[in-house]
């Protein structure tokens, strides 16, 4: 037991260090290369107290590139990756289904419809520094989730399977509306299409600050309730027999995960694969215990998306790949490799 | 006022419209070992769910130490009442020990992890359930029986005074079935209260102090195994024929199930009288009844194995007091039965001074022109405890036209040639 715990903690610490290094490297890379050491010092100099230790032996241009352009984008990738992986881990526990991903209960398609509407009508409003597209996407995501919830609830006994089916049906319905709007709006189709592919190119500090509270609150709640997620893996009835108010807990986590996904999707569009696969990959490293799986998924999801976004914006610079292509292109083969090596550790 | 550990009054429960539990009561005190038995679909599992806070009664009340079970927080209930459910899906590879440690959840605070004391409780529970050697194995790689025992250990780790089990033995081999039941019995003697749904009536009879027999959501019978497990109840509730005897060691009721009577030619065969004893005739009885014979038997001592089977099969018999010589009256009554028969079969019974007269009766039947068949897989010399008198009577029977064979099928085929026709 003790040895197992030590191994899991070690895995988390190593993952954390790799993530910190990845952030620095990601910030250094781009059209203008800023040496890694300089990048690291520019970032550290902005940290209160610690920053006093660093002299400004870098150019103002370098500082602008790092602090105003690259850092918000990298941090946004970090937060979105964390949020998607966290929601994936929660949904996989709630649904006890290894195929559950953050889009499963209609969030992604709800966000897509919201964003599409904003594009389609050329809506040009903002709130708290956010433009219309992320705002509409966020509202769309939450509306979809609550629609699924109320349809499922109206069906009488709310079962997990019922919720999944309603989520699937509603997603298909919303997707059809999105496609229809795309077809009739030829001139804006390109914008909508690229948003749907997912990307962080518009990332700025306002978005980072808008998403941060949701991801942070969701992470804290999930880490606190990790042991209850473990119980839920035994099924709702068994979890209740072991002292968990399983039904209430399920709904709390459902709302938490929905808010996290809604926030993430609204600023990034639909980025596949991170939410579905990160928890599985982390599970191979830490085992199924959510006390390690949740922090591991947060770090792993952040790391995954930071790396993927760096590749997306550098590999064919100055053009950019949609990051969703990168996550699937590198993530899927890696996951299959792990799957074949550790077949029995999954599900 | 003393609270019962668990008490249910007038419980009706349903999943949809129809009540699957229709007016059940139960009162469980510390140290009780109660079994719930009944056919499939009789509502046993649903009733157990009502008792375990998993199926809220639509009418009636379930009290845990005097308080409404469904008003109490889950955690408080889980400290007092542990459940072993029928189905145990464990996905995502937690180790067996991690699964058992989840049983400590009701005793832990929100942010409190399982400590050394909890680990010790889990270890003891796993030793009791014979799974400590599996502690580090992923639970989803275990066999059905091993997983069942891990869940039993998980329930034991809750350290509750009440244990509800739904078919806990179903995936277990006989060795683990018995060791589980022995373990529960031992814990009952130290105050644990057990309520268990069981399919194996003989095991239920051996271990439970009280049995509740359910049928169609209701209690059909309730009491000690000896009061409840009678062939009448079993016929009525399960629709099976049975002989209820006593377990030779424990003196609890022991049930022997009878195969359903087969064949469609009811009473189309000849009328046969069977001379038997010990347990030499029981298998013949079934064969003959299946062939539609009208069967009589005698003389048999009361309490003899053949006599018990014959009584359960409702065969007309002449009987004598236990371990007594066949009396003149019984002998004459037996001759009456033989006179009405078409054929007499003498099984490979052991012959002593007490039942020698039955062979003389067979000789009389032969003189009346009845067919007499001697079934002798073992020669009479081995079964003669009369100093040669039985062997001599066998010789006279054969000389007078009786036919002998060591092969049961051959005797049955001779009998078929005897005709008799529909009666």
């Amino acid at each position: 037991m003790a040895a197992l715990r030590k191994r899991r903690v070690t895995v988390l610490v190593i993952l954390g260090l790799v993530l910190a290094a990845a952030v620095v490297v990601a910030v250094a890379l781009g059209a203008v290369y800023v040496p890694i050491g300089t990048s690291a010092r520019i970032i550290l100099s902005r940290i209160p107290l610690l920053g006093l230790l660093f002299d400004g032996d870098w150019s103002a241009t370098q500082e602008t590139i790092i602090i105003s352009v690259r850092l918000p984008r990298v941090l946004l990738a970090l937060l979105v990756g964390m949020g998607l992986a966290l929601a994936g881990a929660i949904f996989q526990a709630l649904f006890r289904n290894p195929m559950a991903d953050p889009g499963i209960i209609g969030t992604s398609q709800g966000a897509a419809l919201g964003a599409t509407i904003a594009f389609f009508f050329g809506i040009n409003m903002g709130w708290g520094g956010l433009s219309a597209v992320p705002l509409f996407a966020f509202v769309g995501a939450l509306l979809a989730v609550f629609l699924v919830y109320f349809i499922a609830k109206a069906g009488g006994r709310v079962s997990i399977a019922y919720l999944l089916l309603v989520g699937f049906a509603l997603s298909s319905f919303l997707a059809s509306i999105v496609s229809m709007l795309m077809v009739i709006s030829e001139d804006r189709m390109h914008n909508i299409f690229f948003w749907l592919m997912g990307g962080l190119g518009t990332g700025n500090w306002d978005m980072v600050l808008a998403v941060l509270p949701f991801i942070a609150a969701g992470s804290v709640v999930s880490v606190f309730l990790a042991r209850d997620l473990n119980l839920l893996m035994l099924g709702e009835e068994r979890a209740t027999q072991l002292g968990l108010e399983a039904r209430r807990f399920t709904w709390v986590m459902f709302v938490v995960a929905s808010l996290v996904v809604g926030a993430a999707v609204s600023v990034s569009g639909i980025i596949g694969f991170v939410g579905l696969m990160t928890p599985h990959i982390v599970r191979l490293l830490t085992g199924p215990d959510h006390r390690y799986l949740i922090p591991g998924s947060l770090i792993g999801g952040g790391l995954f998306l930071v790396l993927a976004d760096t590749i997306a914006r550098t590999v064919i610079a100055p053009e950019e790949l949609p990051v969703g292509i990168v996550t699937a292109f590198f993530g899927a083969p890696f996951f299959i490799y792990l799957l074949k090596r550790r077949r029995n550790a999954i599900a | 006022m003393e609270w019962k550990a668990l008490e249910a009054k007038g419980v009706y429960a349903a999943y949809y419209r129809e009540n699957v539990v229709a007016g059940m009561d139960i009162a469980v005190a510390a140290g009780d070992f109660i079994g719930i038995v009944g056919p499939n679909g009789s509502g046993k599992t649903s009733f157990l769910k009502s008792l375990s806070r998993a199926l809220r009664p639509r009418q009636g009340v379930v009290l845990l130490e005097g308080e409404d079970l469904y008003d109490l927080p889950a955690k408080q209930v889980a400290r007092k009442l542990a459940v072993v459910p029928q189905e145990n899906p464990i996905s995502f590879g937690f180790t067996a020990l991690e699964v058992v440690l989840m049983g400590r959840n009701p005793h832990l605070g929100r942010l409190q992890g399982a400590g050394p004391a909890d680990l010790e409780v889990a270890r003891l529970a796993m030793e009791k359930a014979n799974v400590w050697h599996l502690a580090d194995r992923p639970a989803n790689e275990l066999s059905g029986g091993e997983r069942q025992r891990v869940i039993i250990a998980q329930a034991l780790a809750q350290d509750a005074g009440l244990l509800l089990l739904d078919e806990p033995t179903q995936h277990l081999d006989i060795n683990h079935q018995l060791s589980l039941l022995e373990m529960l019995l031992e814990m009952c003697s130290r105050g644990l209260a057990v309520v268990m749904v069981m399919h194996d009536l003989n095991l239920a009879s051996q271990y439970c102090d009280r049995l509740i027999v359910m049928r169609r959501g209701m209690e059909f019978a309730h009491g000690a195994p000896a009061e409840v497990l009678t062939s009448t109840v079993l016929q009525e509730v399960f629709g099976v024929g049975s002989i209820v005897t006593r377990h030779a060691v424990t003196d609890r009721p022991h049930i022997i199930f009878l195969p359903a009577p087969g064949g469609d030619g009811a009473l189309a065969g000849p009328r046969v009288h069977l001379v038997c004893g010990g347990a030499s005739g029981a298998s013949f009885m079934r064969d003959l009844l299946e062939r539609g014979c009208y069967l009589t038997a005698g003389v048999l001592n009361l309490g003899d194995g053949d006599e018990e089977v014959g009584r359960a099969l409702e065969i007309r018999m002449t009987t004598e007091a236990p371990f007594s010589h066949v009396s003149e009256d019984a002998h004459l009554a037996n001759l009456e039965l033989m006179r009405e028969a078409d054929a007499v079969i003498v099984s490979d019974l052991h012959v002593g001074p007490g039942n020698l007269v039955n062979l003389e009766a067979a000789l009389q039947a032969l003189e009346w022109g009845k067919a007499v068949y001697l079934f002798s897989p073992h020669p009479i010399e081995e079964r003669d405890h009369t100093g040669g008198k039985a062997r001599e009577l066998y010789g006279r029977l054969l000389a007078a036209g009786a036919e002998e064979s060591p092969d049961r099928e051959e005797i049955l085929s001779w009998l078929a040639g005897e005709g008799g026709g529909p009666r």
Side-chain angles (χ1 to χ4, degrees):
Chain A
M1 275 304 269
L4 205 59
R5 187 174 308 163
K6 199 170 165 188
R7 213 197 76 191
R8 288 168 176 173
V9 171
T10 309
V11 166
L12 292 184
V13 169
I14 291 173
L15 267 179
L17 293 175
V18 172
L19 175 61
V23 167
V24 173
V25 171
V27 169
L29 294 178
V32 178
Y33 174 69
V34 179
I36 289 180
T38 310
S39 303
R41 275 180 286 129
I42 293 174
I43 296 173
L44 290 173
S45 74
R46 288 302 182 104
I47 296 173
L49 295 179
L50 196 64
L52 300 174
L53 298 173
F54 297 92
D55 301 327
D57 62 341
W58 50 77
S59 73
T61 320
Q62 282 177 325
E63 180 154 351
T64 307
I65 290 174
I66 298 295
I67 298 299
S68 303
V69 180
R70 293 201 191 142
L71 194 55
R73 177 166 184 169
V74 170
L75 288 183
L76 197 65
L78 176 70
L79 288 174
V80 169
M82 287 176 131
L84 292 176
L86 172 65
I90 293 173
F91 281 132
Q92 282 166 19
L94 295 190
F95 295 110
R96 288 176 289 289
N97 183 335
M99 289 312 294
D101 85 341
I104 200 158
I105 33 88
T107 24
S108 296
Q109 293 306 331
L113 183 58
T116 305
I117 287 172
F119 282 120
F120 185 80
F121 294 105
I123 294 170
N124 202 358
M125 53 168 278
W127 184 75
L130 290 183
S131 66
V133 171
L135 280 178
F136 272 63
F138 185 67
V139 172
L142 291 193
L143 282 180
V145 169
F146 285 101
L147 202 57
V148 169
Y149 172 82
F150 284 112
I151 294 173
K153 192 148 192 166
R157 278 163 51 86
V158 182
S159 77
I160 292 297
Y162 194 73
L163 199 66
L164 275 173
L165 290 173
V166 172
F168 178 75
L170 190 80
S171 288
S172 307
F173 177 70
L174 296 177
S176 75
I177 299 179
V178 168
S179 303
M180 197 162 64
L181 290 176
M182 280 171 73
V183 171
I184 29 182
S185 71
E186 282 166 10
D187 54 330
R188 298 193 181 94
M189 192 160 156
H190 185 78
N191 287 342
I192 300 174
F193 183 73
F194 259 79
W195 191 89
L196 291 178
M197 298 282 279
L200 298 153
T202 57
N204 58 41
W205 280 107
D206 286 331
M207 284 183 174
V208 171
L209 294 177
V211 174
L212 181 64
F214 292 98
I215 311 290
S219 305
V220 170
V221 169
S222 307
V223 169
F224 272 117
L225 299 180
R227 205 152 44 81
D228 294 343
L229 283 171
N230 287 346
L231 286 174
L232 205 60
M233 300 296 292
L234 303 178
E236 208 172 272
E237 186 173 316
R238 186 71 190 139
T240 310
Q241 289 164 355
L242 293 173
L244 178 70
E245 299 286 357
R247 188 147 295 179
R248 196 171 69 200
F249 175 73
T250 300
W251 289 119
V252 168
M253 293 314 290
F254 178 81
V255 170
V256 167
S258 301
L259 288 171
V260 167
V261 184
V265 173
S266 67
V267 294
S268 69
I270 297 173
I271 299 175
F273 212 84
V274 181
L276 176 65
M277 293 306 177
T278 308
H280 284 298
I281 294 170
V282 174
R283 208 174 274 121
L284 292 173
L285 298 171
T286 65
D289 188 335
H290 287 83
R291 286 174 300 174
Y292 306 96
L293 181 59
I294 294 288
S297 294
L298 286 167
I299 301 171
L303 174 63
F304 188 9
L305 202 55
V306 165
L307 292 179
D309 185 53
T310 306
I311 292 169
R313 68 188 164 84
T314 54
V315 74
I316 54 164
E319 292 294 306
E320 269 194 31
L321 280 174
V323 70
I325 292 175
V326 181
T327 54
F329 186 82
F330 288 100
F334 179 61
F335 183 69
I336 290 169
Y337 162 75
L338 286 176
L339 206 57
K340 289 203 78 76
R341 267 191 53 195
R342 306 268 311 268
R343 185 186 301 266
N344 53 4
I346 309 250
Chain B
M1 178 169 174
E2 193 191 343
W3 300 120
K4 290 284 183 189
L6 186 69
E7 200 166 11
K9 292 174 192 161
V11 167
Y12 287 75
Y15 297 102
Y16 297 103
R17 195 163 297 163
E18 203 168 327
N19 283 323
V20 286
V21 178
M24 287 296 296
D25 301 316
I26 197 172
V28 189
D32 280 352
F33 198 141
I34 301 175
I36 302 177
V37 299
N40 295 136
S42 56
K44 308 181 295 287
T45 293
S46 304
F47 182 46
L48 204 73
K49 282 190 177 191
S50 299
L51 298 180
S52 65
R53 201 175 175 278
L55 180 61
R56 185 186 281 273
R58 56 165 56 165
Q59 204 182 313
V61 66
V62 183
L63 302 174
L64 177 65
E65 292 176 2
E67 289 181 87
D68 191 323
L69 183 68
Y70 288 82
D71 288 345
L72 293 170
K75 209 162 191 168
Q76 196 179 327
V77 171
R79 280 196 290 266
K80 294 175 178 171
L81 184 157
V83 183
V84 176
Q86 201 173 57
E87 300 293 331
N88 302 300
I90 306 175
S91 53
F92 297 110
F94 285 102
T95 66
L97 178 57
E98 286 173 319
V99 170
V100 174
L101 274 172
M102 289 181 196
R104 295 304 296 160
N105 178 64
H107 300 277
L108 299 177
R110 162 71 45 221
L111 291 176
Q112 192 186 357
D118 299 300
L119 199 62
E120 183 60 14
V121 174
R123 187 180 65 78
L124 285 174
M126 291 181 86
E127 280 175 353
K128 277 185 180 155
N130 273 320
V131 285
W132 179 239
H133 63 289
L134 304 173
D136 293 327
R137 292 266 303 278
N140 56 351
E141 288 175 16
L142 301 177
S143 76
E146 289 169 334
R147 210 155 55 216
Q148 177 84 359
R149 279 145 51 207
V150 167
I151 294 297
I152 290 166
Q154 188 187 44
L156 294 178
Q158 281 174 256
D159 209 11
L162 264 160
L163 188 57
L164 309 185
L165 306 99
D166 192 354
E167 277 296 316
T169 56
Q170 70 173 342
H171 295 298
L172 305 184
D173 63 47
I174 185 66
N175 176 20
H176 284 111
Q177 289 184 22
L178 294 175
S179 72
L180 167 67
L181 292 167
E182 288 292 340
M183 184 266 290
L184 292 176
L185 197 61
E186 198 268 333
M187 291 183 73
C188 278
S189 71
R190 290 190 280 124
L192 180 73
V194 170
V195 180
M196 183 170 68
V197 168
M198 282 285 274
H199 268 306
D200 190 317
L201 297 175
N202 278 320
L203 286 179
S205 167
Q206 295 311 310
Y207 288 95
C208 300
D209 326 313
R210 269 193 293 152
L211 291 177
I212 297 174
V213 183
M214 284 185 72
R215 188 176 67 160
R216 294 190 208 115
M218 287 178 272
E219 180 181 300
F220 182 85
H222 181 180
E227 298 160 14
V228 166
L229 294 177
T230 64
S231 54
T232 322
V233 169
L234 296 174
Q235 180 67 49
E236 190 103 359
V237 173
F238 292 95
V240 296
S242 61
I243 304 167
V244 180
T245 62
R246 292 278 162 172
H247 191 283
V249 178
T250 62
D251 201 39
R252 297 280 187 119
H254 184 80
I255 304 159
I256 297 163
F257 294 100
L258 300 174
D264 46 6
L267 296 186
R271 182 164 178 154
V272 179
H273 185 83
L274 188 62
V275 175
C276 55
S280 65
S283 61
F284 254 121
M285 290 181 189
R286 205 188 92 207
D287 282 336
L288 293 168
L289 288 176
E290 274 183 1
R291 282 167 173 73
C293 296
Y294 181 88
L295 186 60
T296 57
V299 178
L300 286 164
N301 291 104
L302 289 168
D304 177 279
D306 281 343
E307 191 269 337
E308 282 188 347
V309 175
R311 186 149 37 91
L313 294 173
E314 299 177 342
I315 290 171
R316 218 172 131 201
M317 295 180 292
T318 47
T319 54
E320 185 50 78
F323 302 109
S324 307
H325 283 255
V326 173
S327 65
E328 187 65 22
D329 286 350
H331 178 60
L332 290 175
N334 204 35
L335 281 173
E336 276 310 305
L337 289 180
M338 284 194 184
R339 194 204 289 278
E340 292 167 20
D342 300 314
V344 174
I345 295 177
V346 182
S347 74
D348 67 333
L349 74 172
H350 285 254
V351 185
N355 63 349
L356 189 65
V357 67
N358 286 345
L359 294 183
E360 287 169 10
L363 197 59
Q364 178 65 56
L366 210 51
E367 282 169 19
W368 285 331
K370 315 285 182 190
V372 174
Y373 305 121
L374 309 175
F375 176 54
S376 311
H378 306 94
I380 180 65
E381 287 78 6
E382 292 176 15
R383 302 184 270 116
D384 182 1
H385 310 289
T386 57
K389 286 182 191 155
R391 192 166 39 158
E392 190 215 323
L393 269 170
Y394 260 62
R396 285 170 63 191
L397 281 164
L398 287 170
E403 296 193 71
E404 186 174 29
S405 170
D407 179 3
R408 188 210 317 246
E409 290 303 319
E410 190 174 21
I411 288 180
L412 291 170
S413 72
W414 288 337
L415 196 64
E418 193 60 35
R423 284 164 185 273

